Amino acid sequence: MKRFLGIAAMTVCLLAVVSCEDSTAPAQQGTIVVRTNIIGPTVTAAMPDGSTQSPDEVDSVRVQRIRVLISRIKLHATAEDTSDQAGRDIKAGPAIVTWTRDTLTTFFAAPVPTGRYDRVKLEMHKFSAAEAATYRNDSAFADFATASDRVTLIIDGVTWKDSVMTPFTLASDRTENLWVVLEPYFEITASSTTTVVLDFDAVELFRIGGRVINPSNAQVKTLLQTRLRTLLRLRKHA
């Protein structure tokens, strides 16, 4: 009986050691840094000679800042990746992704399991009424949680027409999941840092056929909502 108890005790001890080793073994991880950049923050007209400008057009647009409200960011692995890391959350919101003119801005840095990744999912969801009441007095989120409106995207800038500068704010309340694809994939390796840049293409939004549309025109808001997926591009930072 004593021998049996001794063996049982040794077995329990061994199981405890194995369990401890499994729970504390560090996962292979690297670090991902996400930065933001505006492509073509100043959009100028390039109309054919002899053409005339309509009332809904301006000479140029300069985008100063873009802000997007997100509830979550997910990193997705390539189909060939076998590390089972698809759909991994790398940042839970709410959070504001900010693009600033002429500045490569670091949005965040986070540890990520090693593997190959080729897509980022941005969950762009506006606040519920209850959330808006909670964040209304928070300076970072106040513009997205006003008493009269709840929005997910805000673009601030100025326009020029006939040498007159006019500030503008363009907002959207669209809610959707934005998939941003990186081609080719980027690979996270152990103890390394990988930097990717999320570009916002202002030229694609405001210029059509060489003409620059006034941001106050309802057509721009429609274009913003329909083109948002193509306005965002992901690339690995050199």
Side-chain angles (χ1 to χ4, degrees):
M1 174 65 85
K2 289 183 179 180
R3 182 180 178 186
F4 175 79
L5 291 175
I7 293 173
M10 288 176 62
T11 302
V12 171
C13 181
L14 180 60
L15 288 175
V17 170
V18 171
S19 175
C20 180
E21 288 179 349
D22 287 344
S23 63
T24 59
Q28 291 294 305
Q29 290 186 327
T31 299
I32 185 170
V33 177
V34 179
R35 309 181 79 180
T36 59
N37 173 64
I38 303 176
I39 298 176
T42 300
V43 186
T44 57
M47 296 185 299
D49 293 339
S51 59
T52 57
Q53 193 178 69
S54 75
D56 290 331
E57 298 170 19
V58 293
D59 298 326
S60 64
V61 168
R62 174 174 289 173
V63 176
Q64 308 282 27
R65 182 176 61 166
I66 302 160
R67 289 172 291 165
V68 174
L69 174 66
I70 61 167
S71 58
R72 190 182 308 274
I73 296 180
K74 288 188 175 183
L75 198 62
H76 282 254
T78 64
E80 295 78 16
D81 189 282
T82 59
S83 59
D84 194 29
Q85 301 300 337
R88 174 167 291 276
D89 290 354
I90 56 174
K91 188 171 183 63
I96 306 295
V97 186
T98 301
W99 290 258
T100 305
R101 180 175 65 89
D102 298 333
T103 303
L104 196 61
T105 304
T106 298
F107 173 40
F108 74 95
V112 176
T114 57
R116 294 179 176 179
Y117 301 90
D118 63 357
R119 292 172 297 154
V120 172
K121 180 184 179 186
L122 304 175
E123 298 183 5
M124 189 177 74
H125 297 162
K126 65 183 179 182
F127 287 129
S128 66
E131 290 172 328
T134 300
Y135 289 102
R136 194 162 291 145
N137 295 321
D138 187 320
S139 59
F141 298 102
D143 291 341
F144 295 85
T146 65
S148 59
D149 202 6
R150 288 173 281 134
V151 297
T152 53
L153 186 150
I154 302 173
I155 301 176
D156 298 302
V158 295
T159 64
W160 277 271
K161 185 168 184 175
D162 299 328
S163 300
V164 176
M165 185 182 73
T166 305
F168 75 86
T169 296
L170 177 63
S172 171
D173 62 357
R174 184 158 184 145
T175 293
E176 65 178 311
N177 294 328
L178 298 171
W179 290 93
V180 188
V181 178
L182 180 71
E183 295 179 341
Y185 64 81
F186 58 94
E187 186 164 6
I188 302 294
T189 57
S191 304
S192 68
T193 297
T194 300
T195 301
V196 295
V197 179
L198 188 59
D199 291 319
F200 188 102
D201 195 334
V203 176
E204 284 292 320
L205 173 60
F206 290 105
R207 190 161 69 191
I208 301 177
R211 300 173 182 270
V212 179
I213 302 176
N214 192 327
S216 63
N217 188 326
Q219 183 181 3
V220 174
K221 185 173 181 178
T222 301
L223 286 172
L224 175 62
Q225 294 177 338
T226 57
R227 291 183 174 183
L228 189 54
R229 295 174 186 272
T230 60
L231 296 174
L232 296 176
R233 302 172 187 173
L234 191 68
R235 59 185 168 90
K236 188 171 180 179
H237 185 55

Coordinates of all heavy atoms in Angstrom, one line a residue, residues 34-74:
V34 N 1.8 49.3 -36.7 CA 0.9 49.8 -37.8 C 1.0 51.3 -37.8 O 0.8 52.0 -36.8 CB -0.5 49.3 -37.6 CG1 -1.4 49.9 -38.7 CG2 -0.6 47.8 -37.5
R35 N 1.4 51.8 -39.0 CA 1.5 53.3 -39.2 C 0.5 53.7 -40.3 O 0.0 52.9 -41.1 CB 2.9 53.7 -39.6 CG 3.9 53.1 -38.6 CD 5.3 53.5 -39.0 NE 5.6 54.9 -38.5 CZ 6.8 55.5 -38.7 NH1 7.8 54.9 -39.3 NH2 7.0 56.7 -38.2
T36 N 0.2 55.0 -40.3 CA -0.8 55.5 -41.2 C -0.2 56.6 -42.1 O 0.7 57.4 -41.6 CB -2.1 56.1 -40.5 OG1 -1.7 57.1 -39.6 CG2 -2.8 55.0 -39.8
N37 N -0.7 56.8 -43.3 CA -0.1 57.8 -44.2 C -1.2 58.2 -45.2 O -2.0 57.3 -45.6 CB 1.1 57.1 -45.0 CG 1.6 58.0 -46.1 OD1 2.1 59.1 -45.8 ND2 1.5 57.6 -47.3
I38 N -1.2 59.4 -45.6 CA -2.2 59.9 -46.6 C -1.5 60.0 -48.0 O -0.4 60.7 -48.1 CB -2.8 61.3 -46.3 CG1 -3.5 61.3 -44.9 CG2 -3.8 61.8 -47.3 CD1 -4.0 62.6 -44.4
I39 N -2.0 59.4 -49.0 CA -1.5 59.5 -50.3 C -2.1 60.7 -51.0 O -3.3 60.8 -51.0 CB -1.8 58.2 -51.2 CG1 -1.1 57.0 -50.5 CG2 -1.3 58.4 -52.6 CD1 -1.5 55.7 -51.3
G40 N -1.3 61.6 -51.5 CA -1.8 62.8 -52.2 C -2.7 63.6 -51.3 O -3.8 63.9 -51.7
P41 N -2.2 64.2 -50.2 CA -3.1 65.0 -49.3 C -3.6 66.2 -50.0 O -4.7 66.7 -49.7 CB -2.2 65.3 -48.1 CG -0.8 65.1 -48.6 CD -0.8 64.0 -49.6
T42 N -2.8 66.8 -51.0 CA -3.3 67.9 -51.7 C -3.7 67.5 -53.1 O -2.9 67.0 -53.9 CB -2.2 69.0 -51.8 OG1 -1.8 69.4 -50.5 CG2 -2.7 70.2 -52.6
V43 N -5.0 67.6 -53.4 CA -5.5 67.1 -54.7 C -5.8 68.3 -55.6 O -6.7 69.2 -55.2 CB -6.8 66.3 -54.5 CG1 -7.3 65.7 -55.8 CG2 -6.6 65.2 -53.4
T44 N -5.2 68.4 -56.7 CA -5.4 69.6 -57.6 C -6.1 69.1 -58.9 O -6.0 68.0 -59.3 CB -4.1 70.2 -58.0 OG1 -3.2 69.2 -58.6 CG2 -3.4 70.8 -56.7
A45 N -6.8 70.1 -59.5 CA -7.5 69.8 -60.7 C -6.6 69.7 -61.9 O -5.5 70.3 -61.9 CB -8.6 70.9 -61.0
A46 N -6.9 68.8 -62.8 CA -6.1 68.6 -64.0 C -7.1 68.5 -65.2 O -7.1 67.5 -65.9 CB -5.2 67.4 -63.9
M47 N -7.8 69.6 -65.5 CA -8.9 69.5 -66.5 C -8.3 69.8 -67.9 O -7.3 70.5 -68.0 CB -10.0 70.5 -66.2 CG -10.7 70.3 -64.9 SD -12.1 71.4 -64.7 CE -11.2 73.0 -64.6
P48 N -8.9 69.2 -68.9 CA -8.4 69.5 -70.3 C -8.5 71.0 -70.6 O -9.4 71.7 -70.1 CB -9.4 68.7 -71.1 CG -10.0 67.7 -70.2 CD -10.0 68.3 -68.9
D49 N -7.7 71.5 -71.5 CA -7.7 72.9 -71.9 C -9.1 73.2 -72.5 O -9.6 72.5 -73.3 CB -6.6 73.2 -72.9 CG -5.2 73.0 -72.3 OD1 -5.1 73.2 -71.1 OD2 -4.3 72.8 -73.1
G50 N -9.5 74.4 -72.1 CA -10.8 74.9 -72.7 C -12.0 74.4 -71.9 O -13.1 74.9 -72.2
S51 N -11.9 73.5 -70.9 CA -13.0 73.0 -70.2 C -13.4 74.1 -69.1 O -12.5 74.8 -68.6 CB -12.7 71.7 -69.5 OG -11.6 71.8 -68.7
T52 N -14.6 74.1 -68.7 CA -15.1 75.0 -67.7 C -15.4 74.2 -66.4 O -15.7 73.1 -66.4 CB -16.3 75.7 -68.1 OG1 -17.4 74.8 -68.5 CG2 -16.0 76.6 -69.4
Q53 N -15.3 75.0 -65.3 CA -15.5 74.4 -63.9 C -17.0 74.6 -63.5 O -17.5 75.7 -63.6 CB -14.6 75.1 -62.9 CG -14.4 74.4 -61.6 CD -13.5 75.1 -60.7 OE1 -13.7 76.2 -60.2 NE2 -12.3 74.5 -60.5
S54 N -17.5 73.5 -63.0 CA -18.9 73.6 -62.6 C -19.0 74.1 -61.1 O -18.0 74.1 -60.4 CB -19.6 72.2 -62.6 OG -19.1 71.4 -61.5
P55 N -20.1 74.6 -60.7 CA -20.3 75.1 -59.3 C -19.9 74.0 -58.2 O -19.6 74.4 -57.1 CB -21.7 75.5 -59.2 CG -22.1 75.7 -60.6 CD -21.4 74.7 -61.4
D56 N -20.0 72.7 -58.6 CA -19.7 71.7 -57.6 C -18.3 71.3 -57.6 O -17.9 70.3 -57.0 CB -20.6 70.4 -57.9 CG -22.0 70.6 -57.6 OD1 -22.3 71.4 -56.7 OD2 -22.9 70.0 -58.3
E57 N -17.4 72.0 -58.3 CA -16.0 71.7 -58.4 C -15.2 72.8 -57.7 O -15.6 73.9 -57.6 CB -15.5 71.5 -59.8 CG -16.2 70.4 -60.5 CD -16.0 70.4 -62.0 OE1 -15.0 71.0 -62.4 OE2 -16.7 69.7 -62.7
V58 N -13.9 72.4 -57.3 CA -13.0 73.4 -56.7 C -11.7 73.3 -57.4 O -11.4 72.3 -58.1 CB -12.9 73.2 -55.2 CG1 -14.2 73.5 -54.5 CG2 -12.4 71.8 -54.9
D59 N -10.8 74.2 -57.1 CA -9.5 74.2 -57.8 C -8.6 73.1 -57.1 O -7.8 72.4 -57.8 CB -8.8 75.5 -57.6 CG -9.5 76.7 -58.3 OD1 -10.1 76.4 -59.4 OD2 -9.5 77.8 -57.9
S60 N -8.7 73.0 -55.8 CA -7.9 72.0 -55.1 C -8.5 71.7 -53.7 O -9.3 72.5 -53.2 CB -6.5 72.4 -55.0 OG -6.4 73.6 -54.2
V61 N -8.1 70.5 -53.2 CA -8.5 70.1 -51.8 C -7.3 69.7 -51.1 O -6.4 69.0 -51.7 CB -9.5 68.9 -51.9 CG1 -9.7 68.3 -50.5 CG2 -10.9 69.3 -52.4
R62 N -7.1 70.1 -49.9 CA -6.0 69.6 -49.0 C -6.6 68.9 -47.8 O -7.4 69.5 -47.0 CB -5.1 70.8 -48.6 CG -4.1 70.3 -47.5 CD -3.1 71.4 -47.2 NE -2.2 71.7 -48.3 CZ -1.3 72.7 -48.3 NH1 -1.3 73.5 -47.3 NH2 -0.6 72.9 -49.4
V63 N -6.3 67.6 -47.7 CA -6.8 66.9 -46.5 C -5.8 67.0 -45.4 O -4.6 66.7 -45.5 CB -6.9 65.4 -46.9 CG1 -7.3 64.5 -45.7 CG2 -7.9 65.2 -48.1
Q64 N -6.3 67.5 -44.3 CA -5.5 67.7 -43.1 C -5.5 66.5 -42.2 O -4.4 66.2 -41.6 CB -6.0 68.9 -42.3 CG -6.2 70.2 -43.1 CD -4.9 70.9 -43.4 OE1 -3.8 70.3 -43.4 NE2 -5.0 72.2 -43.6
R65 N -6.6 65.9 -42.0 CA -6.7 64.8 -41.0 C -7.9 63.9 -41.4 O -8.9 64.3 -41.8 CB -6.9 65.3 -39.6 CG -6.9 64.3 -38.5 CD -7.0 64.9 -37.1 NE -8.2 65.7 -36.9 CZ -8.6 66.1 -35.7 NH1 -7.9 65.8 -34.6 NH2 -9.7 66.8 -35.6
I66 N -7.7 62.6 -41.2 CA -8.7 61.6 -41.3 C -8.8 60.8 -40.1 O -7.8 60.3 -39.5 CB -8.4 60.7 -42.5 CG1 -8.3 61.5 -43.8 CG2 -9.5 59.6 -42.7 CD1 -7.5 60.8 -44.9
R67 N -10.0 60.6 -39.6 CA -10.2 59.7 -38.4 C -11.3 58.7 -38.6 O -12.3 59.0 -39.1 CB -10.6 60.6 -37.2 CG -9.4 61.5 -36.6 CD -9.9 62.4 -35.6 NE -10.8 63.5 -36.1 CZ -11.6 64.2 -35.4 NH1 -11.7 64.1 -34.1 NH2 -12.4 65.1 -36.0
V68 N -11.0 57.5 -38.2 CA -11.9 56.4 -38.4 C -12.1 55.7 -37.0 O -11.2 55.3 -36.3 CB -11.5 55.3 -39.4 CG1 -12.4 54.1 -39.4 CG2 -11.4 56.0 -40.8
L69 N -13.4 55.5 -36.6 CA -13.7 54.8 -35.4 C -13.8 53.3 -35.6 O -14.6 52.9 -36.5 CB -15.0 55.3 -34.8 CG -15.6 54.6 -33.6 CD1 -14.7 54.8 -32.4 CD2 -17.0 55.1 -33.3
I70 N -13.0 52.5 -34.9 CA -13.1 51.1 -35.1 C -13.4 50.4 -33.7 O -13.1 51.0 -32.7 CB -11.8 50.5 -35.6 CG1 -10.6 50.8 -34.7 CG2 -11.5 51.0 -37.0 CD1 -9.4 50.0 -35.0
S71 N -14.0 49.2 -33.8 CA -14.3 48.5 -32.6 C -13.3 47.3 -32.4 O -13.1 46.8 -31.3 CB -15.7 47.9 -32.6 OG -15.9 47.1 -33.8
R72 N -12.6 47.0 -33.5 CA -11.6 45.8 -33.4 C -10.8 45.8 -34.7 O -11.2 46.2 -35.8 CB -12.4 44.5 -33.3 CG -11.6 43.3 -33.0 CD -12.4 42.1 -32.9 NE -13.6 42.2 -32.0 CZ -13.5 42.0 -30.7 NH1 -12.4 41.6 -30.1 NH2 -14.6 42.2 -29.9
I73 N -9.5 45.3 -34.5 CA -8.7 45.0 -35.7 C -8.3 43.6 -35.6 O -7.8 43.1 -34.5 CB -7.4 45.9 -35.7 CG1 -7.8 47.4 -35.9 CG2 -6.5 45.5 -36.8 CD1 -6.6 48.3 -35.9
K74 N -8.4 42.8 -36.7 CA -8.0 41.4 -36.7 C -7.0 41.2 -37.8 O -7.1 41.8 -38.9 CB -9.2 40.5 -37.0 CG -10.2 40.4 -35.8 CD -11.2 39.4 -36.1 CE -12.1 39.2 -34.8 NZ -13.1 38.1 -35.0

